[in-house]
Amino acid sequence: DIQMTQSPSSVSASVGDRVTISCRASQGISSWLAWYQQKPGKAPKLLIYAASSLQSGVPSRFSGSGSGTDFTLTISSLQPEDSATYYCQQANSFPLTFGPGTKVDIK
Amino acid sequence: EVHLVQSGAEVKKPGESLKISCKTSGYNFNDYWIGWVRQMPGKGLEWMGVIFPGDSDTRYSPSFQGQVTISADKSVNTAYLQWNSLRASDTAMYFCARQAYNIGLWFDPWGQGTLVTVSS
């Protein structure tokens, strides 16, 4: 199975800050990676697919990059509504796996 | 518009059986994978397995193989997650989700979630 790790596990930042979350796969997954946002009590929401493609309706302040084993989700200018937990997920092979999540708080 | 609507919250006793549902609409049910995800209280997301309704191809994550059954009924465009004998450790929120595009195993949209509580 492909293991996913994320760092940091949590981050606290101010409105307008640039926030970067890292995700690493235990083996190469090309660009078969997605990012999700989950707010408390809600279902996850797809933000980024194929490592860098922005899902329809997602604000352009979200972007993804990377390939192989190392990936990054960037929020270019943090907004209050971005307070959530963010998960990466590998889509290279079964079984599908998520990273452990990164909680983003607003200072 | 694509919609996934899950069945309501359940409270069960250990050892009981349960089948929860994910009713879909707005697209050809046969053409996209449907997945099930577990989220235990205060914890992260875990893939349980996925099913392709068109040919019933089903893939389970190792942790859930033999513990649950994923199925789909094409006549009612609905996917199911089933337990034969629940345990207290099955207490969690369960989400279904549809493959977002024909290529790539990323999922969107998601159902609203079904809370399963197992307690004696």
Side-chain angles (χ1 to χ4, degrees), chain A residues 14-77:
Chain A
S14 300
V15 172
D17 282 355
R18 183 182 186 89
V19 173
T20 299
I21 299 169
S22 296
C23 173
R24 176 166 288 177
S26 61
Q27 63 190 73
I29 59 171
S30 186
S31 295
W32 297 107
L33 185 102
W35 289 96
Y36 299 87
Q37 175 194 65
Q38 187 183 31
K39 296 183 179 181
K42 300 294 187 181
K45 172 186 171 183
L46 180 66
L47 297 177
I48 301 285
Y49 63 95
S52 61
S53 296
L54 191 69
Q55 174 68 343
S56 176
V58 174
S60 59
R61 63 180 179 274
F62 291 94
S63 64
S65 63
S67 68
T69 60
D70 292 305
F71 302 86
T72 301
L73 174 70
T74 300
I75 309 173
S76 61
S77 178

